[in-house]
Amino acid sequence: MLFGRNKKNPIRIVDKSVVDWKYATCGYCSTGCSIEVGVNAAGEPVASRGVADADVNRGKLCIKGIFEHELFRQTPGRGTTPLLRKERFEPFREASWDAALDHTAAEIQRIQGQYGRDSFAIVSTGQIMTEEFYTLGKLARGVVGTNNYDGNTTLCMSSAVSGYKRSFGSDGPPGCYEDFEHTECLLAFGSNLPEQHPIIYWRLKEALETRKFPVIVVDPRVTMFAQMADMHLPVNPGTDLVLLNALAHVILKENLHKPDYIAAHTEGYEEFKALVEQYDPTTAAGICGIDEDRIRHVARVYAKAGAAMTIWTMGINQSTHGSDGVVAINNLNLITGNIGKPGGSSLSITGQCNAMGTREWSSCSGLPGYRALEKEKDREEIAKFWGIDPEFFPRKRGLFMTDILPAIETGQVKGLWLIATNPMTSMPNTARIRKTLEKLEFLVVQDAYRDVESNEYSHVYLPAAVWAEKEGCFTNTERRVNLIRNVCAPHGDSKPDLWIFNAVAQRFPQGRSMRFPENAEGVFSEMKQLSKGRMLDISGMTYDKIEKARGLQWPCPDGADKGSPRLYTDGAFRHPGGKAKLIPLPFIDNNERPDEEYPFWLNTGRVVEHFHTRTRTGKVGNANKFSPTPYMEMNPDAGARLGIRHGEYARLTSRRGETVVMVQLTQRVAPNAVFIPFHFHDCVNRVTLGLLDPHSRQPAYKQCAVRVERAADQMEAARQNVAARSY
Ligand SMILES: Nc1nc2c(c(=O)[nH]1)N[C@H]1C(S)=C(S)[C@@H](COP(=O)(O)OP(=O)(O)OC[C@H]3O[C@@H](n4cnc5c(=O)[nH]c(N)nc54)[C@H](O)[C@@H]3O)O[C@H]1N2
Ligand SMILES: Nc1nc2c(c(=O)[nH]1)N[C@H]1C(S)=C(S)[C@@H](COP(=O)(O)OP(=O)(O)OC[C@H]3O[C@@H](n4cnc5c(=O)[nH]c(N)nc54)[C@H](O)[C@@H]3O)O[C@H]1N2
Ligand code: SF4
Ligand SMILES: [Mo]
């Protein structure tokens, strides 16, 4: 009451004159926060707020979500109309949708006619709706018929997918956020949760407030997450596999494993045991940089916990042994019986808002609903459902994204369609990517923003509607399918990706003979039918039911009111025979390492304010204001040695190229390491190497060797630095 009567400094919230709140799911990261967008009487989106009764975020949003309505108003760089040009680098001319799509379809047909079906490639994303992914898959696999079809998820989640498949026989993260409320030990590898998944982090903090359990963070850098952890293990770059093998070594040596679980639910124990035998903590410490006592201590704490879980993100996936790192995490959880139980899990924290949706339904790595091109039954089932000849499908998956680009370089691929991805900024070795895109006979870029760097190399630009300018679903990290209602009309004459895919399909004879539902809910109902009885069963979901529940986790079969929080609760895995595999994983040290000429490890990643190549956050007031410029974290000792002061510019050189960054001196990084966020064009990916993981083909963005010098001409360096953030 006292506060109520106090008239001084009242907090006033600006009246935005919201007349209606529309339900959506955040379009940035994979946390999957439920968000409501407020619209005013004129139908303009003017506010965003978290949805209080949504289990994922419980009313919270992070700095990106809270300003998400600004996406619709702050439209610099948005595409309004299709653009065409004959020759790359000529000025574009505006075109009608018919002209742009006719030309695109004709070029696809010309290239395929001249060089073969697989000479036209399609690369998509983790950022459009699941219904759009399914439709694109139907178009790519069932109509265009190219096997060189993949997504940017190869830059992101491919190692997790591959690791889950190798261990458990299927993709699909087995745990959920609620596991924080049950776990007795959390081990986190290469994840900066507070910045990259702020609301998952908040869920963790909330769990810790009611019940304390140890949090152990493995990261070469002192991240925000490492700072809050009970124990920080600053592992040597790229050596997590050695640490994981050593943890397993101690657990088996000290009889802390679960023999009954291992016998009932796994195979391969003997070979696995023989391999980890070689990774005693003393030997391992010499490679991974974590002392042997700590390795033993962590192994004991983890194995003795009633339930223990591991989460990981790009520090594991983006590595030359990314897939092996994931399998090693699964091995650890299998030998300790920590799969499918409350608080016991191998939970890959996914990246993009719909990284899961593309894994489930896009057909990039196979056929929809986790079906495989390699399986005759799956090919026949889908061909029948789509009304095409099963012989039209290839019998194994084609190239990954990171192999499609080299195939352009060497002339096997002549045409490319990029959908919601910007390889000019996000792929390693910018100069090589530039040369590669210039080799294409035909490039079509379909993006919400026409100023996306990859569009500089295109012949056709198709302007897409963004996020809640359309309707559909995303699946988050914990397999929760959530809904985006249409909040406002697409900007200008841009069109939803679903509309564009349908319109392209109509320009192929086979497409005209197939059914392509016009609206997202119609597509969802096809997916429901195809999901029945499968692991990712969504047949019990409807849009209204999803909205009411604020998201439903699959499996959610017909008749179920709720989804399932966990997978493999019965210990039945998806390999033939139903057992999980324990896989021996020898460590092969193939990274480019620092040497005399290039003495620093270069580590790359993200900051909380920006999302990827900044097509969106680069234009949102607060996001850009808080993080306006490319910078590099460098240890003060290294700075002193090189004569570089805080705030000065430095030149960074690798065997690939060079770039200029502003230096931030900080103890976050070791004296022999530097860290740069990858959000800026013509910046860190000019120097990265990105060696590929042999299983997942994911680039090791986080390890290569560089040299650093103080920029001789600080004014010139400042100009170059500004160019990297030009919008
Ligand atoms: N704000 C914001 N949030 C995002 C995104 C964004 O762009 N901005 N992107 C989303 C996407 S698509 C993704 S994939 C996720 C990524 O989320 P995260 O993976 O959490 O983010 P990163 O910064 O890429 O890398 C995480 C950590 O890996 C560490 N690391 C580097 N090398 C190693 C190593 O050898 N071993 C170990 N253990 N760790 C290492 C880095 O030091 C870094 O702190 O974030 C999602 N959320
Ligand atoms: N050095 C370094 N490089 C990295 C990484 C790293 O850690 N270090 N991380 C890698 C990872 S994990 C990822 S996921 C990639 C991300 O790399 P990209 O996929 O290239 O990055 P984005 O900027 O997210 O590109 C998405 C594009 O989609 C557009 N878009 C958004 N919504 C829509 C829509 O609804 N429809 C259409 N058609 N377009 C839309 C956006 O405008 C944007 O241009 O970067 C990778 N690159
Ligand atoms: S945590 Fe991720 S999903 Fe949630 S509001 Fe932030 S960016 Fe959006
Ligand atoms: Mo990602």
Side-chain angles (χ1 to χ4, degrees), residues 556-693:
C556 178
D558 206 3
D561 330 321
K562 289 205 335 199
S564 318
R566 293 175 192 87
L567 302 179
Y568 312 121
T569 47
D570 53 1
F573 291 91
R574 310 298 288 194
H575 281 301
K579 290 196 169 181
K581 287 194 174 142
L582 287 168
I583 303 173
L585 305 160
F587 173 68
I588 297 158
D589 185 5
N590 59 346
N591 274 316
E592 181 184 65
R593 304 184 128 266
D595 56 17
E596 255 173 43
E597 203 181 346
Y598 300 99
F600 288 92
W601 281 109
L602 170 63
N603 178 4
T604 70
R606 302 162 157 73
V607 298
V608 65
E609 296 87 1
H610 283 304
F611 195 79
H612 293 174
T613 69
R614 291 186 321 131
T615 50
R616 287 176 281 172
T617 50
K619 290 141 190 160
V620 171
N622 276 312
N624 210 28
K625 209 159 43 191
F626 293 149
S627 182
T629 206
Y631 70 92
M632 173 171 82
E633 292 179 353
M634 177 175 228
N635 188 285
D637 291 348
R641 213 171 54 236
L642 297 171
I644 305 173
R645 282 181 305 199
H646 192 74
E648 285 193 325
Y649 292 96
R651 187 170 301 283
L652 188 81
T653 312
S654 76
R655 291 183 177 84
R656 273 70 55 196
E658 57 172 36
T659 189
V660 166
V661 277
M662 183 187 274
V663 174
Q664 190 184 89
L665 295 180
T666 165
Q667 300 284 357
R668 274 183 197 285
V669 289
N672 69 340
V674 291
F675 173 85
I676 303 181
F678 88 96
H679 304 294
F680 297 87
H681 179 61
D682 253 344
C683 188
V684 77
N685 277 332
R686 287 169 65 104
V687 293
T688 48
L689 168 60
L691 279 185
L692 300 179
D693 176 281

Side-chain angles (χ1 to χ4, degrees), residues 28-31 62-64 127 155-157 188-193 195-198 217-223 233 235-240 312-319 321 349-353 355 591 603-613 675 678-679 702-703:
Y28 288 115
C29 88
S30 66
T31 303
C62 80
I63 182 176
K64 292 182 295 309
Q127 292 173 53
L155 313 180
C156 179
M157 301 316 306
F189 281 89
S191 155
N192 188 11
L193 212 58
E195 291 204 62
Q196 269 58 87
H197 300 89
V217 169
V218 186
D219 196 309
R221 194 172 149 240
V222 189
T223 57
L233 307 184
V235 70
N236 282 338
T239 62
D240 300 79
W312 75 93
T313 320
M314 291 306 123
I316 288 285
N317 288 358
Q318 290 173 347
S319 150
H321 59 265
I349 306 290
T350 54
Q352 305 167 85
C353 53
N591 274 316
N603 178 4
T604 70
R606 302 162 157 73
V607 298
V608 65
E609 296 87 1
H610 283 304
F611 195 79
H612 293 174
T613 69
F675 173 85
F678 88 96
H679 304 294
K702 298 204 175 334
Q703 289 96 32

Side-chain angles (χ1 to χ4, degrees), residues 121-364:
I122 303 176
V123 172
S124 93
T125 180
Q127 292 173 53
I128 58 178
M129 272 86 176
T130 313
E131 295 79 353
E132 297 177 326
F133 281 131
Y134 170 77
T135 305
L136 173 61
K138 196 193 260 188
L139 174 65
R141 295 265 175 230
V143 177
V144 175
T146 173
N147 201 9
N148 291 329
Y149 163 48
D150 195 32
N152 70 358
T153 33
T154 291
L155 313 180
C156 179
M157 301 316 306
S158 192
S159 294
V161 174
S162 144
Y164 277 141
K165 285 186 179 166
R166 287 165 71 200
S167 297
F168 304 146
S170 172
D171 186 18
C176 58
Y177 307 153
E178 200 218 348
D179 284 323
F180 297 143
E181 287 154 34
H182 304 282
T183 197
E184 292 175 22
C185 180
L186 177 79
L187 184 55
F189 281 89
S191 155
N192 188 11
L193 212 58
E195 291 204 62
Q196 269 58 87
H197 300 89
I199 303 299
I200 305 185
Y201 176 66
W202 172 77
R203 286 285 302 266
L204 170 64
K205 291 283 278 183
E206 212 185 39
L208 283 165
E209 265 167 35
T210 49
R211 195 178 44 84
K212 184 70 193 109
F213 53 88
V215 175
I216 303 161
V217 169
V218 186
D219 196 309
R221 194 172 149 240
V222 189
T223 57
M224 276 172 74
F225 202 11
Q227 281 175 285
M228 72 71 74
D230 299 293
M231 196 182 264
H232 172 214
L233 307 184
V235 70
N236 282 338
T239 62
D240 300 79
L241 180 57
V242 175
L243 174 62
L244 280 153
N245 278 344
L247 293 174
H249 175 102
V250 176
I251 290 168
L252 297 187
K253 250 279 123 47
E254 301 190 3
N255 265 325
L256 300 172
H257 57 297
K258 296 273 182 313
D260 295 348
Y261 188 90
I262 295 171
H265 303 299
T266 71
E267 57 189 31
Y269 178 67
E270 289 307 324
E271 296 83 340
F272 169 71
K273 193 176 165 205
L275 187 280
V276 297
E277 183 66 42
Q278 300 164 31
Y279 288 81
D280 62 276
T282 320
T283 310
I287 306 170
C288 72
I290 307 301
D291 65 79
E292 57 183 287
D293 289 340
R294 254 201 234 219
I295 295 177
R296 287 195 193 91
H297 180 61
V298 171
R300 289 171 194 148
V301 170
Y302 198 84
K304 287 180 186 171
M309 66 188 285
T310 314
I311 59 169
W312 75 93
T313 320
M314 291 306 123
I316 288 285
N317 288 358
Q318 290 173 347
S319 150
T320 52
H321 59 265
S323 172
D324 282 358
V326 174
V327 173
I329 288 169
N330 296 337
N331 285 342
L332 173 71
N333 288 316
L334 287 167
I335 60 169
T336 53
N338 276 309
I339 297 291
K341 75 179 191 197
S345 192
S346 278
L347 182 62
S348 142
I349 306 290
T350 54
Q352 305 167 85
C353 53
N354 206 14
M356 279 298 294
T358 184
R359 283 151 73 170
E360 297 155 11
W361 291 104
S362 72
S363 308
C364 275

